[in-house]
Amino acid sequence: GAGARLARRTRTEWATAAADWARQPMVAPVLAELYRSVAAEHGRTTATTNEDDDSALGVLRRLIERSPEAMVLVYEGRVIVDELFLKKEKHRKHALFIAALIEKGFHVPNAAYAYSGNSTGLCSAAPEDAVPCLVIAKRSGPAQRGVLVPNPYFHDVDFWDAVRTSIRKAASLRPFDERLGRAFWRGHIANAFTLRPPEDPFAEKCDDEVGNYARLAAATASRAYPDVVDVKCWHLAKCLDIRDDRTLQCEGLAYTPEMRRSRDDPATITQEGHVPKENFTHYQFVVNLPGSTQGSYSRNLNHLWF
């Protein structure tokens, strides 16, 4: 869009910005883990077609035959994926991210790899297939398989730069004292007992329910204290599968009577309609609640810094 075009930078400008970012003290551990994960993965797999054609073709063949839903092939400036890959939102955004780097003139070598947008870092390609896997998280720690790459919720660098600029502009037009004095949040409430695939080794159901419990509690507070809390589901269909604590019990996560009312009638905690990020600036307070899939990071945090 026009906003994205206005925010675009040249390759040199991006390289300068990246160098400035890399010099920040807080970035050092991020880069250290990135390089460590690359070195560890390189010892297990062969990723680039420039190094060894036989080995690279073997990687590609195994990806096509066994993991088409996770396969990414970068070849001569093109990003090639299977239709199955495009079924997941994070996968589509990852492909667009790589394509954007190529379009900006950055050198992206020919490569074949598996990609995981899973919040735990679970890679669908089997370890014995010896294919490289790019992941956005490592729930079990640094030793977990995979090379860390950016979370695709940031889209690509132009898009995020445009979003950030737009939010800051909206915020500058609304002095704090003129904003609504309520705590604001919009999102969904999931159910860890039905959300996780059974083969996911990180599927610790009750541990993963922490985020959904917090979301349900906060949304319920909106009904009790509407003058100070505005926490809602943004679409009723996104809150119809709330855990039923009568049959799926978790220690320490028992619902209050009011939370049970929300579970049984989620329409009472729903306000239909997506709220643009710029409109978050109508409120004095924006709430960051835990993620719905494992109760940790939520992408909502991405745009609350502005």
Side-chain angles (χ1 to χ4, degrees), residues 262-283:
S262 300
R263 172 203 63 202
D264 295 337
D265 189 6
T268 63
I269 55 170
T270 298
Q271 184 167 322
E272 292 286 341
H274 174 73
V275 179
K277 297 176 178 64
E278 291 80 359
N279 289 355
F280 283 33
T281 62
H282 286 290
Y283 298 83

Side-chain angles (χ1 to χ4, degrees), residues 236-302:
L236 182 59
K238 294 288 187 179
C239 292
L240 291 178
D241 188 30
I242 297 172
R243 175 178 62 92
D244 189 340
D245 68 332
R246 291 167 295 193
T247 56
L248 301 172
Q249 298 177 354
C250 290
E251 184 178 356
L253 300 180
Y255 297 158
T256 65
E258 280 301 304
M259 290 172 70
R260 294 191 184 100
R261 179 187 168 193
S262 300
R263 172 203 63 202
D264 295 337
D265 189 6
T268 63
I269 55 170
T270 298
Q271 184 167 322
E272 292 286 341
H274 174 73
V275 179
K277 297 176 178 64
E278 291 80 359
N279 289 355
F280 283 33
T281 62
H282 286 290
Y283 298 83
Q284 290 185 343
F285 311 102
V286 284
V287 180
N288 178 55
L289 291 169
S292 62
T293 55
Q294 74 175 92
S296 59
Y297 169 78
S298 169
R299 67 168 164 168
N300 185 55
L301 192 60
N302 294 353

Side-chain angles (χ1 to χ4, degrees), residues 21-244:
W21 174 82
R23 283 192 287 269
Q24 297 180 33
M26 69 178 67
V27 174
V30 177
L31 290 177
E33 173 53 27
L34 171 63
Y35 295 140
R36 192 212 61 77
S37 68
V38 170
E41 194 73 5
H42 184 73
R44 290 192 288 260
T45 62
T46 299
T48 64
T49 58
N50 296 328
E51 293 179 354
D52 184 334
D53 284 344
D54 291 336
S55 181
L57 288 174
V59 167
L60 180 58
R61 187 178 300 110
R62 290 190 293 276
L63 282 168
I64 293 172
E65 293 175 352
R66 305 174 190 176
S67 306
E69 77 289 345
M71 180 202 76
V72 178
L73 171 64
V74 181
Y75 185 71
E76 299 299 323
R78 287 185 160 188
V79 181
I80 303 168
V81 298
D82 190 278
E83 287 184 359
L84 293 172
F85 185 90
L86 299 175
K87 288 183 178 292
K88 294 184 177 181
E89 178 191 12
K90 292 183 185 179
H91 287 203
R92 293 193 299 271
K93 289 178 178 178
H94 172 75
L96 289 171
F97 188 92
I98 300 300
L101 291 176
I102 295 172
E103 189 265 338
K104 293 177 188 303
F106 287 94
H107 174 62
V108 179
N110 295 338
Y113 57 88
Y115 172 76
S116 170
N118 190 295
S119 61
T120 65
L122 174 68
C123 184
S124 62
E128 59 267 23
D129 286 345
V131 301
C133 195
L134 273 57
V135 301
I136 65 169
K138 291 189 175 185
R139 178 166 178 173
S140 63
Q144 185 176 330
R145 175 188 176 203
V147 174
L148 287 170
V149 294
N151 189 319
Y153 281 136
F154 290 100
H155 293 255
D156 64 49
V157 286
D158 280 336
F159 178 90
W160 187 245
D161 205 34
V163 168
R164 183 173 57 181
T165 299
S166 181
I167 294 174
R168 283 177 169 164
K169 180 179 179 181
S172 70
L173 297 175
R174 298 188 178 99
F176 184 82
D177 291 341
E178 296 179 11
R179 301 181 189 184
L180 298 172
R182 297 200 290 271
F184 177 84
W185 181 90
R186 286 294 183 276
H188 69 277
I189 304 173
N191 181 346
F193 285 81
T194 58
L195 189 64
R196 287 277 188 220
E199 68 274 12
D200 189 339
F202 304 109
E204 300 170 359
K205 306 295 187 181
C206 283
D207 287 349
D208 291 352
E209 265 295 285
V210 172
N212 294 313
Y213 181 88
R215 291 174 177 218
L216 181 62
T220 299
S222 283
R223 198 172 54 240
Y225 310 102
D227 292 340
V228 292
V229 182
D230 188 357
V231 173
K232 303 282 181 57
C233 293
W234 71 273
H235 185 36
L236 182 59
K238 294 288 187 179
C239 292
L240 291 178
D241 188 30
I242 297 172
R243 175 178 62 92
D244 189 340

